[in-house]
Amino acid sequence: MTSRIDLDAADTPDTFQPRQHRPSRAAQARPADWNALDDDLAADQRWSTWPGIEKSMRGPLPYPEFVIEDAGAVDTELGVLKTGKEADVFLIERATAGRRSILAAKRYRPPDQRAFHRSTIYTEGRTIRRTRDARALKNGSTYGRQVEATQWAAAEWSYLVQAHDAGIPVPYPVQIDGTEILMEFIEDPDRAGSAAPRLHQMRPDQTLLDSYYTQLIEAMRGFAALGYAHGDLSPYNILAAGPRLVVIDLPQLVDLAVNPLGADLLARDCRNVCTWFAARGIDQDPEELLGELLAAAWP
Ligand SMILES: Nc1ncnc2c1ncn2[C@@H]1O[C@H](COP(=O)(O)OP(=O)(O)O)[C@@H](O)[C@H]1O
Ligand SMILES: [Mg+2]
């Protein structure tokens, strides 16, 4: 996969248009060995990875309408949505004859390619079951770094599935394949093909602001009811898809019952949220919100 349209969804939301959909290879038969490299595919294409993904590594049933299951589908990389600290988010088109859908692919990088490491405060209390993996992680081998990237991806996958099942507004998790998560692309309803802007860029009117606030508190209550704090909640990890808020970036979710710093991390989430809304005239005491969420975690 070569073509890189480097853009930051937050800074240049209106400049991005996905490439024109070229006549799809999908109408042709897929090679019998679905892993085979196919000369007909362009450098930024691959056969859909869906057929090779175990059922348990696919999103919850029922699959939304945009999930294409066709084994003859082709994935085309349309560009980089955002390069991040430990993961890059790509825009992927999955297309078959007559159907196409756009997905977001979040790919975790091995830690040696990261700008900095997500602190271990988040993983406190999580156990690594396979001793070989635990040893590799400890001694920092190449294999160990790969294991770490895979584990962050697996963690985010699991939290996306749990949150989705609990009705919390997160992108629908389509599939996980090692270090790559494919998920619903949260689109800006006013600009087809563009990612929804992050909350921090929004200047909502009073009615929309009130609705955003209600939605966000409801989402935080949802996480708390599952026993979690988001752990990195801020207007940068919330997308505003028109009237709808969607919470993203879940790998560091914190188990409130297990992590000794859980309440502190939840308090920080509350402060981040309250500060943004307070600057726009909605006053909510972060301590009060924290109390309410802790009560929701232990009803
Ligand atoms: N499902 C998605 N739909 C649309 N844009 C997304 C999606 N997931 C991530 N993005 C974009 O990519 C950026 C980085 O994703 P995020 O999950 O926050 O990773 P990071 O750990 O790099 O912050 C987001 O701020 C958002 O602009
Ligand atoms: Mg983020």
Side-chain angles (χ1 to χ4, degrees), residues 85 106 118 198 232 236-237 248-249:
K85 302 178 293 257
K106 185 165 179 179
R118 235 187 251 266
R198 299 186 268 186
D232 193 17
Y236 292 89
N237 281 330
I248 59 165
D249 208 359

Side-chain angles (χ1 to χ4, degrees), residues 9 81-82 84-87 89 104 106 118 171 183-186 195 198 236-237 239 248-249:
L81 206 52
K82 181 88 168 57
K85 302 178 293 257
E86 58 249 299
V89 182
K106 185 165 179 179
R118 235 187 251 266
M183 66 180 103
E184 176 186 4
F185 173 58
I186 307 300
R198 299 186 268 186
Y236 292 89
N237 281 330
L239 301 182
I248 59 165
D249 208 359

